Amino acid sequence: MTISPHGGILKDLIARDAPIKAQLEESAKTLPSLELTERQLCDLELLSNGGFSPLEGFMTKEDYSSVVNSDRLANGLVWTIPVCLDTNLDHLKKIFNTNENNEILGKKLVLVDPRNGSNLAIIKIKDLYSVDKEEEAIKVFGTKSTHHPAVDYLFNQTGDIYIGGDIQIINPVSHEDFQEIRFTPAQVREKFEKDGFERVVAFQTRNPMHRAHHELTLRAGEKVNAKILVHPVVGMTKPGDVDYITRVKVYKIIMEYYKPNTAFLSLLPLAMRMAGPKEAVWHAIIRKNYGASHIIVGRDHAGPGKDIDGKDFYGPYEAQEFIEQYEDELEIKPVRFSMLAYLPDENRYEEIDKLEKGAKTLNISGTELRNMLKTGEDIPEWFSYPHVVSVLKSEYAKLQKAQA
């Protein structure tokens, strides 16, 4: 375990279990196995590398119930999103060749990477429990509407039983792409210490970055006198989002516009839940584990968009208000911003909440941008950098060709 320069303990399970790797590999040969889903694979990676500290495994019923009902783990620490290993009971009984739940408790199960069959971890089953999914939806996401992507996932893809228990890591989750910017929390902290990044403000994003996003990070850094951690999500995001490979190409270009030794890019293998206010707190905890002292919380942070009636699931600044009640406990400070709009007459960006009444502004929505890419319309330089636009146009053309 490593002490964070900004407080807290980093529970790096990969490092903890490395000395017994051979023993765990040998043990795994005799154990039944479970292939993980895409979300579970993301969750396991952040459990194993310390991104989900203080968790050391998938939640037991006690922790799950406490999180859903009080936004805290059973030990009282703030935690707002359930991290659970779901499966179907019939499948689990088949794996263990039993019809009795109590014969499964206390047994061990190997967690397998579905992409390559690699044994990743061993979980000792402490708990098997079913949940009220409607209650989870309402208390965590604030809605039962399946127009919310996480609620749709909960109702239509999540298994009927949750497995709780601590894990031991055999092999870390591996990736073939962008290895040069995939860093664990311990590696990011080491980088900050080496480069003298004493105060760091993290920027969460699941979209391509344009000029307004770059400006937002610069303002946040100046506001709290901090370096910048550009920390985009490359795990599961909202269906229909720009694919992470295209986005990473954009992030690498954006990094060229920061002054030397002022910003750092690292990819985050998080499976987002799009839970708005509760996700904002979760994002803060994760970024604290990566060594950040501050996190940008913007307008509609981690919001999933609109419901069936065209109304946003969460208020524009609900996340900022929600995180405020936990600020003293999180060991990381939120930096609040409203959306930036472009002032053409002044050739600058400004927060919409600070604009004078009637001010002339320009903005391009995500939908408008997609239509401009589709039609080949020129995208103005005030909105994005030419190299970024070039990448987006190229990748969009490939997508259109593949779908033709």
Side-chain angles (χ1 to χ4, degrees):
M1 293 188 291
T2 305
I3 302 295
S4 165
H6 306 296
I9 300 293
L10 175 66
K11 297 192 174 181
D12 186 339
L13 306 188
I14 298 172
R16 181 200 67 185
D17 297 335
I20 58 170
K21 174 181 169 65
Q23 178 184 332
L24 293 173
E25 286 180 328
E26 193 63 28
S27 178
K29 295 177 181 178
T30 64
L31 297 173
S33 62
L34 176 70
E35 280 199 351
L36 299 178
T37 64
E38 183 181 0
R39 178 191 280 189
Q40 292 166 352
L41 195 64
C42 292
D43 287 350
L44 179 64
E45 183 167 3
L46 287 170
L47 283 169
S48 62
N49 68 18
F52 281 170
S53 293
L55 302 187
E56 296 186 53
F58 290 96
M59 288 182 177
T60 61
K61 186 174 184 178
E62 182 182 25
D63 273 329
Y64 166 86
S65 297
S66 183
V67 167
V68 168
N69 290 293
S70 66
D71 298 322
R72 296 179 182 275
L73 298 170
N75 63 11
L77 292 176
V78 176
W79 194 277
T80 51
I81 300 292
V83 177
C84 302
L85 181 62
D86 65 282
T87 189
N88 290 308
L89 182 57
D90 288 343
H91 179 59
L92 191 63
K93 287 180 176 179
K94 184 177 180 180
I95 290 173
F96 282 99
N97 192 28
T98 181
N99 289 318
E100 301 297 330
N101 289 11
N102 58 9
E103 290 185 7
I104 299 174
L105 292 173
K107 297 288 181 66
K108 292 182 178 181
L109 184 65
V110 181
L111 306 181
V112 175
D113 189 330
R115 303 167 303 171
N116 54 26
S118 172
N119 291 335
L120 298 175
I122 295 174
I123 183 169
K124 184 174 183 180
I125 301 175
K126 182 178 180 180
D127 228 346
L128 282 179
Y129 57 102
S130 57
V131 302
D132 184 331
K133 292 184 178 180
E134 287 197 1
E135 179 184 51
E136 180 178 330
I138 292 170
K139 291 186 175 179
V140 177
F141 306 108
T143 180
K144 293 190 295 183
S145 170
T146 53
H147 279 74
H148 190 299
V151 175
D152 179 65
Y153 187 97
L154 176 64
F155 289 167
N156 296 312
Q157 296 189 55
T158 303
D160 57 18
I161 197 164
Y162 292 178
I163 301 171
D166 288 346
I167 56 175
Q168 292 176 296
I169 307 304
I170 305 171
N171 294 297
V173 177
S174 62
H175 300 277
E176 295 183 356
D177 56 10
F178 304 118
Q179 294 182 30
E180 74 281 5
I181 49 175
R182 290 183 182 271
F183 299 102
T184 67
Q187 290 169 333
V188 173
R189 290 180 178 187
E190 183 180 354
K191 170 72 173 177
F192 291 164
E193 184 174 358
K194 178 182 177 182
D195 291 352
F197 284 27
E198 295 181 0
R199 293 166 64 86
V200 179
V201 58
F203 177 59
Q204 149 74 31
T205 183
R206 56 174 240 274
N207 294 309
M209 285 179 70
H210 301 290
R211 284 183 181 269
H213 305 105
H214 180 239
E215 176 68 19
L216 182 68
T217 61
L218 293 176
R219 291 187 181 206
E222 292 173 1
K223 186 174 183 178
V224 296
N225 188 28
K227 308 291 187 178
I228 299 161
L229 170 62
V230 179
H231 210 203
V233 170
V234 293
M236 291 176 66
T237 60
K238 180 183 174 183
D241 280 351
V242 176
D243 67 280
Y244 80 86
I245 293 176
T246 299
R247 291 190 287 111
V248 173
K249 291 178 181 179
V250 168
Y251 302 138
K252 294 176 81 170
I253 293 171
I254 289 290
M255 296 307 294
E256 298 173 7
Y257 291 89
Y258 290 101
K259 293 179 180 179
N261 202 43
T262 63
F264 181 62
L265 171 65
S266 180
L267 307 184
L268 180 67
L270 177 69
M272 288 186 67
R273 272 57 164 184
M274 310 302 300
K278 296 204 175 187
E279 183 130 353
V281 173
W282 196 41
H283 286 173
I285 296 168
I286 294 166
R287 273 37 183 250
K288 184 266 292 185
N289 288 330
Y290 275 84
S293 56
H294 297 75
I295 181 172
I296 298 170
V297 181
R299 187 181 186 277
D300 194 27
H301 186 104
K306 300 183 183 299
D307 62 18
I308 192 172
D309 298 317
K311 181 181 177 182
D312 288 333
F313 278 100
Y314 310 113
Y317 301 112
E318 194 175 338
Q320 295 182 1
E321 295 165 359
F322 185 75
I323 200 172
E324 188 174 317
Q325 63 185 296
Y326 300 111
E327 189 170 339
D328 292 340
E329 299 179 67
L330 290 177
E331 299 176 344
I332 182 171
K333 299 295 183 183
V335 183
R336 300 166 180 82
F337 280 98
S338 58
M339 186 174 71
L340 295 186
Y342 180 68
L343 303 175
D345 294 338
E346 303 177 43
N347 189 29
R348 69 182 183 91
Y349 282 91
E350 186 53 271
E351 292 181 66
I352 58 174
D353 289 357
K354 296 181 180 180
L355 295 176
E356 294 183 4
K357 187 175 181 180
K360 180 181 178 182
T361 65
L362 295 175
N363 192 27
I364 297 176
S365 70
T367 300
E368 290 170 333
L369 177 61
R370 286 190 291 273
N371 287 336
M372 294 170 80
L373 291 169
K374 183 178 180 180
T375 61
E377 184 179 346
D378 287 339
I379 297 170
E381 287 197 31
W382 63 259
F383 176 77
S384 196
Y385 299 104
H387 288 170
V388 168
V389 172
S390 178
V391 167
L392 293 178
K393 283 186 173 181
S394 174
E395 295 302 320
Y396 193 85
K398 292 179 185 177
L399 178 63
Q400 292 292 97
K401 185 176 180 179
Q403 293 177 343

